[in-house]
């Protein structure tokens, strides 16, 4: 399920079946591909393990985001834009 809450500024995948995307991202296939990659990661790791590692293990979080941005680029996003977002948001 994909929801578009009005207050959201960035996307987040909460569970393997729930993605929250900002309204500006409706129809943005690369952005959706990024979040769908996180769905796969949640399924593989399990919800609690994924979130524990994502929140408390910087190396795990960085690897999760690198993979998701690779999916986003494959879906048509700018490499430069993704690299900038990755370098500014996940230290």
């Amino acid at each position: 399920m994909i929801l578009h809450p009005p207050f959201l500024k960035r996307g987040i995948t909460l569970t393997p079946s729930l993605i929250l995307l900002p309204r500006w991202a409706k129809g943005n296939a690369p952005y959706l591909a990024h979040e769908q990659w996180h769905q796969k990661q949640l399924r593989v790791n399990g919800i609690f393990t994924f979130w524990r590692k994502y929140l408390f293990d910087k190396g795990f979080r960085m690897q999760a985001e690198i993979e998701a941005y690779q999916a986003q680029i494959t879906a048509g996003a700018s490499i430069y834009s993704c690299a900038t977002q990755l370098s500014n948001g996940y230290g």
Side-chain angles (χ1 to χ4, degrees):
M1 173 185 303
I2 301 170
L3 301 176
H4 299 275
F7 56 85
L8 209 60
K9 294 185 181 185
R10 293 178 67 166
I12 185 168
T13 302
L14 295 175
T15 71
S17 60
L18 180 58
I19 296 175
L20 303 179
L21 292 178
R23 290 187 174 176
W24 62 260
K26 282 185 182 181
N28 185 325
Y31 201 82
L32 179 58
H34 179 108
E35 296 304 330
Q36 288 173 325
W37 192 264
H38 287 314
Q39 280 184 316
K40 291 177 187 178
Q41 293 167 330
L42 280 156
R43 279 195 289 279
V44 168
N45 290 282
I47 295 170
F48 297 109
T49 299
F50 175 85
W51 280 112
R52 178 179 49 80
K53 288 181 174 182
Y54 189 91
L55 293 172
F56 300 108
D57 180 340
K58 288 184 180 184
F60 179 86
R61 181 173 58 246
M62 183 60 78
Q63 185 59 41
E65 289 301 331
I66 288 169
E67 292 173 6
Y69 277 111
Q70 286 173 330
Q72 190 170 343
I73 291 164
T74 299
S78 156
I79 292 171
Y80 176 77
S81 172
C82 289
T84 300
Q85 292 170 16
L86 187 60
S87 67
N88 289 333
Y90 300 97

